[in-house]
Amino acid sequence: MKPKVAFFDFACCEGCQLQVANFGEELLDILEVVDVVNFREVMSENGEDYDIAIIEGSITNQHAVERIKKIREKAKIVIAYGACACTGGINAMKNNFEMPEIMHYVYKDDAKYFDTIPTKAVDQVVKVDYYVHGCPVYPKEFVDVLKCVLQGVEYKVPEKSVCTECKLNENECMFDKGLTCMGPITKAGCNSWCINNGNICFGCRGFVENPAKNAAIEVLKDHGLNPELIIKKINMYNTVLDEKLKKKGEE
Amino acid sequence: MPKTVYVNVEYLTRVEGHGNIVVNVTDGNIEKCNLEIVEAPRLFEGMLRGRSIFEAQHITSRICGICSCGHTLASLQAAEDAIGFKQSAQTEKLRKLLLYQEILDSHILHIYLLAAPDLLGVKSFVPLINSHNDVVRRALRMKKECNNMCEIIAGRHVHPISTTVGGFTKLPKESELDRMRQIMERMQEDMEATVELLTTLTFPSFERDTEYVAIVNDENEYPFLEGDVGSTDGVRFDKHEYKNYINEFVVPHSTAKHTKLSRDSYMVGALARYNLNHEKLNSEAKKAALKLKLEPGTKNPYLNTVAQAVESVYCIEESIKIIDELKETGVKHDEKITVGLNENKNIPVKAGRGIGAVEVPRGILFHDYEIDAEGRIINANCMIPTNQNLNNIERDMRKLVPEILEKTEEEITLFLEMLVRAYDPCISCSTHFLNVKFVK
Ligand code: SF4
Ligand code: SF4
Ligand code: SF4
């Protein structure tokens, strides 16, 4: 029997789901091996019986906390899909503000109607079995992860930094152009997508494990830069990971 | 006949973002007829404060996956307006090409995957894989091709990489121009088949008089990126004045912020653009409109989907024109820039305020940034198309429900869902919506 797959969206831009629709006709091949029972963005069918739950988006209110717990109870496998789910993604930038202050800035007196909590990654609420990093996800990696899920084997996120891929792609280093790039401290796996297209890495895949010790830090040193300063400068995607690191440090 | 109807569609499917429809009719009296928004707030405007305008595109693109290029362009326009930067003619062309591709992509997604299943009486495109395999394949192929186009122009569609304040960090090669031309030529055939398909579908008949709002200008081109804000009620104002004309307000029955201009509500999007600017469409798009019997002055919101098809034809033809122009003049590769966060201060920055107003697939989108002398954002505001349409959707619902009361509850639900979907709402975009629980 084909495994039943359900997509669920929490606070996010739904761009990662869209990556699935962008597979084009290959999507039909994927639909041969799995049975999609829930995909609200493009389906009205509402399957409540599923084996694999693919979670897009971050947890940003109490209602979402309850909802994700229920999904975890039903699903055999939970996949955090995209930066929003894996690390809190761009949504976690709000954690750098006091909640009442930022709520009042956007909604003024109507802020009281909201239920909001600081942004959490999915694994801060429930156990996550697989991660597909990136904002958006890199489609090839999603297929790789899906294959691992279907074969029941572990998927290992590369330990390397984006720099390793970037060098293989023979890009001119952004630091040589006088710009700051998150590549040295960001997990590889996107084939240095942004630098290949002439922009800097914004760090959407999250820190490499142990950013301070990782060999890639050499790039920063070569340019006389302090990794911490860079994190501060472009902390778009790592607020939650930063919180986790700090917590680990305290323990 | 007095009738009691209770409709509650939770987590409306096949729309972007989360919304519920709640209708309550007791003995023929409408007690409640609302589109509730249940999207969790993401607070983009708040998060932008303190950020460099050179990061704003990257951040605001992530407001919405479907409209990521639209948000990108509105953001860049606002940032460049604030610092007084003028884009080059080539940048203008490439940005336009990118927007045409996103409009095409989004319209195709809506026509085929979100709207067509209703008209064909199925719950999603999945059953269509068996019953209408060629149609599904065509839809996925067209979407994929738009994606390929965006990849060439901007690195990827969700979320564009090479579009920055000042221009592009990569530019298409000669061979890529050729490839884009081929893609668009193939798309012409698929688009013809799409128009053909739409002629066979019947849309619900329903009309309501309302105000239509879109970008207008005095040029000969159907406007998406440059111009004033205009309406079918004869209003016209500079985009910098948007806050003085458009009222954002909170209504007592719901705490979702609504907007209005000259009257109770207005509509933005493909139908609004068509009603205001149809004379400026190219001849192919005009032919399609004729074939699809889309009259100027159409007041049936369900036909927004048809207007999207007409615009899709327009976008393909105009894209070909731009590609040909670029081929003729040759792409000036020396215009390629690397900006990052403007560490090298190659782009002069000054304090000020800038407004971006761009027609994105679902209607006019405003980005508004106030920045300090270092280029850091002090205040930000984004006004999203769906936000502007919400009030109009609810007023449509309130006129529609009494007209279809004799139908079954199921049919009423479907008509309402179809109505909401016709607007192609993008609730995940709606940064301003308030979360509200309704008492039953
Ligand atoms: S990770 Fe990025 S692309 Fe994916 S849903 Fe979140 S904001 Fe959108
Ligand atoms: S710092 Fe950035 S540009 Fe330089 S090698 Fe690493 S990823 Fe590439
Ligand atoms: S290069 Fe950096 S920002 Fe771009 S996709 Fe890869 S990790 Fe994300």
Side-chain angles (χ1 to χ4, degrees):
Chain A
M1 229 185 43
K2 292 198 254 181
K4 292 193 176 69
V5 175
F7 283 84
F8 295 99
D9 41 25
F10 289 80
C12 68
C13 84
E14 304 187 11
C16 286
Q17 282 188 53
L18 211 58
Q19 293 292 65
V20 176
N22 284 341
F23 276 126
E25 291 177 74
E26 282 166 52
L27 180 61
L28 300 180
D29 301 334
I30 296 175
L31 292 176
E32 294 273 301
V33 290
V34 298
D35 195 4
V36 178
V37 294
N38 206 321
F39 196 159
R40 197 195 50 83
E41 199 179 60
V42 287
M43 288 167 61
S44 288
E45 294 92 335
N46 228 326
E48 278 305 314
D49 174 25
Y50 42 84
D51 308 302
I52 301 167
I54 302 182
I55 311 294
E56 186 195 33
S58 330
I59 310 299
T60 60
N61 60 24
Q62 204 51 42
H63 177 251
V65 171
E66 302 311 320
R67 198 170 144 233
I68 189 73
K69 283 184 183 160
K70 285 209 187 91
I71 292 170
R72 176 72 262 190
E73 274 168 29
K74 283 191 190 168
K76 295 192 188 84
I77 302 280
V78 169
I79 306 177
Y81 183 58
C84 291
C86 292
T87 64
I90 207 107
N91 298 319
M93 274 168 52
K94 82 169 190 195
N95 297 9
N96 297 316
F97 296 85
E98 293 296 327
M99 285 310 119
E101 188 278 325
I102 191 169
M103 288 295 287
H104 186 263
Y105 178 74
V106 178
Y107 295 104
K108 307 288 175 301
D109 291 344
D110 301 320
K112 58 178 181 286
Y113 295 111
F114 282 104
D115 152 28
T116 194
I117 56 173
T119 299
K120 286 184 193 325
V122 173
D123 68 3
Q124 289 178 295
V125 185
V126 297
K127 181 172 166 278
V128 168
D129 304 296
Y130 291 88
Y131 295 85
V132 190
H133 288 279
C135 178
V137 297
Y138 191 54
K140 191 191 154 294
E141 192 184 32
F142 175 50
V143 174
D144 290 346
V145 173
L146 211 55
K147 279 185 193 151
C148 290
V149 173
L150 295 176
Q151 289 162 11
V153 298
E154 197 185 345
Y155 175 79
K156 273 252 169 260
V157 182
E159 289 271 340
K160 302 172 296 185
S161 74
V162 171
C163 287
T164 25
E165 296 175 325
C166 187
K167 285 187 180 132
L168 284 176
N169 287 322
E170 296 179 2
N171 293 315
E172 193 191 337
C173 181
M174 289 293 160
F175 286 103
D176 289 335
K177 299 183 189 177
L179 305 178
T180 318
C181 178
M182 286 290 275
I185 43 179
T186 301
K187 276 191 194 80
C190 64
N191 193 28
S192 63
W193 213 347
C194 299
I195 309 98
N196 302 352
N197 285 286
N199 213 328
I200 53 169
C201 170
F202 284 87
C204 80
R205 296 176 54 83
F207 287 153
V208 282
E209 295 297 324
N210 218 339
K213 286 195 198 126
N214 200 290
I217 229 71
E218 294 305 321
V219 178
L220 297 182
K221 290 213 189 105
D222 285 351
H223 294 275
L225 294 158
N226 170 342
E228 239 160 75
L229 275 182
I230 293 173
I231 294 166
K232 286 255 150 50
K233 197 164 178 192
I234 323 180
N235 68 342
M236 247 177 228
Y237 290 98
N238 289 297
T239 309
V240 162
L241 288 178
D242 219 21
E243 287 166 12
K244 280 187 183 170
L245 279 177
K246 272 193 203 119
K247 215 169 146 195
K248 228 172 163 178
E250 282 162 16
E251 274 165 14
Chain B
M1 195 184 49
K3 190 170 169 182
T4 299
V5 179
Y6 183 62
V7 175
N8 188 6
V9 182
E10 246 193 84
Y11 275 154
L12 194 60
T13 51
R14 284 187 279 134
V15 301
E16 277 273 292
H18 306 152
N20 305 333
I21 296 176
V22 178
V23 171
N24 215 339
V25 180
T26 311
D27 297 333
N29 293 322
I30 299 185
E31 291 181 339
K32 195 183 294 167
C33 192
N34 299 330
L35 175 62
E36 299 173 3
I37 304 307
V38 293
E39 188 75 12
R42 292 173 70 213
L43 307 171
F44 273 93
E45 290 126 319
M47 300 194 301
L48 278 170
R49 289 170 304 159
R51 290 280 170 183
S52 154
I53 44 157
F54 294 92
E55 295 173 299
Q57 175 275 328
H58 185 96
I59 297 169
T60 56
S61 165
R62 275 122 183 114
I63 292 174
C64 172
I66 291 197
C67 299
S68 54
C69 297
H71 277 287
T72 289
L73 294 169
S75 177
L76 298 180
Q77 205 180 81
E80 291 177 359
D81 187 36
I83 58 173
F85 180 92
K86 291 265 170 296
Q87 63 185 359
S88 74
Q90 178 171 295
T91 299
E92 186 184 350
K93 278 191 184 132
L94 286 167
R95 285 179 177 171
K96 215 184 260 174
L97 186 59
L98 182 65
L99 185 60
Y100 289 156
Q101 290 305 314
E102 174 162 275
I103 290 190
L104 188 56
D105 177 89
S106 173
H107 285 356
I108 294 300
L109 177 78
H110 181 249
I111 294 168
Y112 278 101
L113 301 187
L114 312 180
D118 285 329
L119 301 165
L120 295 166
V122 289
K123 284 201 170 296
S124 77
F125 80 98
V126 178
L128 298 179
I129 296 175
N130 291 325
S131 64
H132 295 73
N133 194 273
D134 56 328
V135 175
V136 173
R137 281 187 184 275
R138 189 194 311 137
L140 293 173
R141 184 167 62 231
M142 291 176 87
K143 254 204 82 47
K144 173 89 184 170
E145 293 287 30
C146 292
N147 218 57
N148 292 339
M149 291 286 291
C150 292
E151 215 171 291
I152 296 173
I153 309 162
R156 65 186 170 206
H157 172 223
V158 188
H159 297 288
I161 298 169
S162 62
T163 40
T164 72
V165 172
F168 284 84
T169 62
K170 73 155 195 178
L171 291 166
K173 297 195 272 283
E174 182 74 38
S175 59
E176 289 175 321
L177 290 179
D178 291 337
R179 181 154 168 249
M180 288 201 284
R181 188 139 200 325
Q182 282 164 6
I183 293 176
M184 283 295 100
E185 280 166 26
R186 278 204 300 273
M187 195 79 97
Q188 281 176 317
E189 282 168 42
D190 278 341
M191 195 60 227
E192 220 171 286
T194 306
V195 170
E196 211 49 61
L197 172 77
L198 279 172
T199 58
T200 66
L201 302 177
T202 320
F203 291 84
S205 53
F206 164 75
E207 284 195 341
R208 193 176 70 85
D209 203 25
T210 190
E211 184 175 16
Y212 295 91
V213 176
I215 291 182
V216 294
N217 62 27
D218 302 322
E219 311 295 315
N220 280 325
E221 197 178 286
Y222 192 80
F224 282 102
L225 276 157
E226 298 291 336
D228 294 333
V229 183
S231 99
T232 46
D233 282 6
V235 184
R236 179 167 168 170
F237 57 88
D238 185 294
K239 64 177 179 181
H240 295 90
E241 300 288 316
Y242 82 103
K243 273 198 170 164
N244 299 335
Y245 283 85
I246 299 173
N247 293 316
E248 280 189 286
F249 64 101
V250 173
V251 285
H253 79 267
S254 138
T255 45
K257 269 189 192 166
H258 290 207
T259 54
K260 61 181 180 180
L261 217 157
S262 320
R263 36 171 132 175
D264 292 338
S265 70
Y266 65 84
M267 178 174 180
V268 296
L271 188 57
R273 290 189 289 255
Y274 179 78
N275 279 341
L276 277 152
N277 296 314
H278 59 91
E279 281 170 4
K280 296 180 178 177
L281 285 167
N282 53 31
S283 58
E284 293 301 315
K286 279 184 182 158
K287 265 187 240 157
L290 213 59
K291 196 159 186 193
L292 291 164
K293 300 195 176 67
L294 186 70
E295 310 266 344
T298 294
K299 290 173 185 158
N300 179 354
Y302 287 101
L303 297 184
N304 191 42
T305 310
V306 178
Q308 288 180 332
V310 172
E311 286 194 338
S312 301
V313 174
Y314 177 83
C315 288
I316 294 173
E317 298 305 318
E318 292 303 303
S319 296
I320 291 178
K321 276 185 212 161
I322 293 180
I323 297 165
D324 286 348
E325 282 167 25
L326 289 171
K327 272 168 69 85
E328 192 160 322
T329 56
V331 174
K332 292 192 212 98
H333 285 272
D334 57 347
E335 283 195 17
K336 190 175 95 174
I337 48 167
T338 9
V339 184
L341 303 188
N342 203 31
E343 288 95 328
N344 297 331
K345 307 220 178 330
N346 288 339
I347 297 177
V349 170
K350 62 178 175 67
R353 183 171 165 209
I355 312 281
V358 172
E359 287 290 344
V360 299
R362 290 156 188 79
I364 189 165
L365 164 69
F366 297 92
H367 278 219
D368 174 355
Y369 309 146
E370 193 190 331
I371 61 168
D372 67 14
E374 305 292 316
R376 273 186 308 250
I377 295 174
I378 307 167
N379 278 307
N381 187 39
C382 303
M383 201 158 82
I384 303 317
T386 294
N387 198 353
Q388 299 169 66
N389 273 335
L390 183 72
N391 193 19
N392 208 60
I393 300 176
E394 285 195 340
R395 278 164 205 273
D396 281 354
M397 282 166 58
R398 276 178 218 141
K399 178 164 188 286
L400 176 67
V401 168
E403 291 175 17
I404 55 172
L405 260 190
E406 82 289 350
K407 295 189 188 294
T408 65
E409 223 165 82
E410 253 177 16
E411 283 172 319
I412 295 176
T413 306
L414 181 64
F415 269 72
L416 286 169
E417 282 193 63
M418 283 172 69
L419 175 71
V420 177
R421 274 187 214 121
Y423 281 80
D424 196 4
C426 184
I427 297 166
S428 47
C429 269
S430 307
T431 50
H432 270 319
F433 282 145
L434 299 188
N435 190 6
V436 57
K437 288 206 173 58
F438 283 81
V439 246
K440 280 189 187 157

